[in-house]
Amino acid sequence: MEKVEKIRAGRNRTITLLEDEKDDLRQRLIKTGSAEKNTSETITNFLDKTINADLLAALPLLPDEFADLIIIDPPYNLTKNFNGKTFAARSEKDYEAYLASWFPLVCRKLKPKGSLYMCGDWKCTSALQRAMEGELTVLNRITWQREKGRGAKSNWKNGMEDIWFGVKNPDDYYFDVEAVKMKRKVIAPYREGGKGGKPKDWEEEEDGNFRLTYPSNFWDDISIPFWSMPENTDHPTQKPEKLYAKLILASSRPGDVVFDPFLGSGTASVVAKKLGRRWCGIEMNEEYCMLAEKRLLMAEEDKAIQGYSDGVFWERNTGALQKKQGSYGGRDLFNNE
């Protein structure tokens, strides 16, 4: 079937591939079988690279225990078309067998003190938890508000997704809570000693009153990429850069290696690059791989991450941050409703 080109609005900033750039982008990819096996050069060959291959074919080419942080966004147990290749929903038993075919192999790539995050929705989250518990120590489940999505007439609209957090060694792993604090607007500021006293746990700024807060395992400040945001692609399940920035800042140091075995359009690699980490990603679809490489090239000029500025994460609809980063396509920086 011939591919129908989408007609886009004039202000649409969705990243697409131009025909005259595909050859150069394709040359940047590593294909299965193009790297030497069992040599000391292997990890160097794959660092800061996008591997265009089937996951099970590519994993043996990567050395064990090379990644400080692994972020996994696997196909959920839903029928979904990924650029012509359909992942079909299956029974829970069969979905767990699918996870078992690759998850233990991916865990071998994690360093002894490394951390791993795996994304899912309500339908597959219990299977993800069981898979994680078979290989790692689960430390938490993050739930984030996915405010974009279709309504449901005979059920509750699904407005949440989960991220499972696990480590190999629960007594020795890296976590930087100071790097992932959120800046929230204070609606009813409290002062020591009453009116006229010093602000208590908040600061007065030109654009309002704000408080730095410690992050919880419920995130309500994430916006799904949409057409007027410069990180948006046509990938059907693209994760926001802000979402992954929290994981990368909390669980890796500058220079650490971030590995994503289901790279999609490249969010994990792009955010790792913007935040001064190394990266490696595997994706079987060539077009998505080229999108990832295009975004990586764009990140050399623009290291901004929507919703993250001055070393803190900002809640949605924060005017102060809009002034710092500007609005996307003339629309509110945080609200895509």
Side-chain angles (χ1 to χ4, degrees), residues 30 35 42-49 51 61-63 279-280:
I30 291 180
T42 302
I43 191 169
T44 303
N45 290 342
F46 286 108
L47 279 179
D48 304 336
K49 298 292 184 180
I51 304 168
L61 300 178
L62 295 172
W279 66 89
C280 175

Side-chain angles (χ1 to χ4, degrees), residues 116-120 124-126 128-129 132-133 138 140-142 162-166:
L116 184 148
Y117 293 90
M118 184 151 64
C119 305
C124 69
T125 195
S126 59
L128 299 183
Q129 180 182 9
M132 292 273 287
E133 289 175 339
V138 174
N140 214 325
R141 181 186 72 178
I142 299 162
D162 290 336
I163 305 176
W164 290 94
F165 170 34

Side-chain angles (χ1 to χ4, degrees), residues 13-304:
R13 303 182 70 180
T14 300
I15 301 168
T16 59
L17 297 171
L18 304 177
E19 287 300 322
D20 61 1
E21 65 187 3
K22 287 184 178 181
D23 285 343
D24 289 338
L25 293 171
R26 191 177 288 114
Q27 291 298 315
R28 297 170 60 88
L29 307 179
I30 291 180
K31 303 282 187 174
T32 301
S34 63
E36 297 179 35
K37 297 181 183 179
N38 302 319
T39 74
S40 59
E41 304 285 341
T42 302
I43 191 169
T44 303
N45 290 342
F46 286 108
L47 279 179
D48 304 336
K49 298 292 184 180
T50 302
I51 304 168
N52 181 200
D54 178 85
L55 178 62
L56 294 179
L59 284 174
L61 300 178
L62 295 172
D64 290 343
E65 299 184 353
F66 79 91
D68 299 279
L69 170 62
I70 298 178
I71 300 175
I72 309 176
D73 184 21
Y76 299 174
N77 196 8
L78 303 166
T79 298
K80 181 76 70 173
N81 186 312
F82 294 96
N83 198 34
K85 185 174 179 62
T86 299
F87 183 89
R90 55 204 72 185
S91 69
E92 187 165 349
K93 181 180 178 181
D94 287 343
Y95 187 73
E96 290 194 16
Y98 163 72
L99 295 176
S101 72
W102 55 263
F103 184 70
L105 302 177
V106 170
C107 288
R108 292 180 190 174
K109 309 306 172 185
L110 187 63
K111 288 182 179 179
K113 298 180 182 181
S115 299
L116 184 148
Y117 293 90
M118 184 151 64
C119 305
D121 70 349
W122 69 271
K123 191 173 183 181
C124 69
T125 195
S126 59
L128 299 183
Q129 180 182 9
R130 288 189 287 272
M132 292 273 287
E133 289 175 339
E135 301 293 327
L136 306 169
T137 298
V138 174
L139 297 184
N140 214 325
R141 181 186 72 178
I142 299 162
T143 298
W144 61 282
Q145 184 183 20
R146 191 183 188 281
E147 85 294 345
K148 180 180 178 182
R150 295 180 179 178
K153 291 184 178 180
S154 58
N155 200 345
W156 305 104
K157 173 183 173 179
N158 180 29
M160 305 289 181
E161 291 193 13
D162 290 336
I163 305 176
W164 290 94
F165 170 34
V167 297
K168 277 192 172 179
N169 184 350
D171 297 318
D172 193 1
Y173 64 94
Y174 179 78
F175 192 84
D176 185 0
V177 73
E178 295 294 330
V180 286
K181 284 187 173 180
M182 177 178 288
K183 199 163 188 176
R184 292 186 179 275
K185 198 160 189 177
V186 179
I187 305 301
Y190 176 76
R191 294 179 181 272
E192 295 179 358
K195 187 176 180 180
K198 284 186 176 182
K200 184 175 176 59
D201 299 327
W202 57 276
E203 294 182 3
E204 293 179 286
E205 298 185 14
E206 180 183 350
D207 299 291
N209 303 323
F210 296 92
R211 173 185 291 119
L212 279 180
T213 64
Y214 279 86
S216 73
N217 61 355
F218 173 67
W219 298 350
D220 61 354
D221 62 312
I222 305 297
S223 289
I224 300 296
F226 60 99
W227 61 269
S228 66
M229 289 172 62
E231 69 185 74
N232 190 53
T233 74
D234 285 327
H235 192 284
T237 61
Q238 179 183 348
K239 290 295 185 288
E241 291 186 7
K242 184 181 183 182
L243 184 76
Y244 279 11
K246 294 190 178 195
L247 307 180
I248 290 171
L249 285 168
S251 293
S252 70
R253 300 174 177 86
D256 279 356
V257 178
V258 179
F259 175 46
D260 184 344
F262 292 89
L263 186 63
S265 62
T267 298
S269 294
V270 170
V271 177
K273 180 173 183 175
K274 288 183 175 183
L275 296 176
R277 276 67 171 171
R278 311 297 297 274
W279 66 89
C280 175
I282 301 173
E283 169 57 46
M284 66 186 306
N285 184 276
E286 186 185 62
E287 184 163 329
Y288 292 155
C289 287
M290 289 189 289
L291 276 173
E293 285 298 321
K294 182 169 181 175
R295 293 176 67 192
L296 285 164
L297 288 172
M298 293 168 64
E300 293 179 4
E301 301 296 328
D302 182 6
K303 298 191 182 300

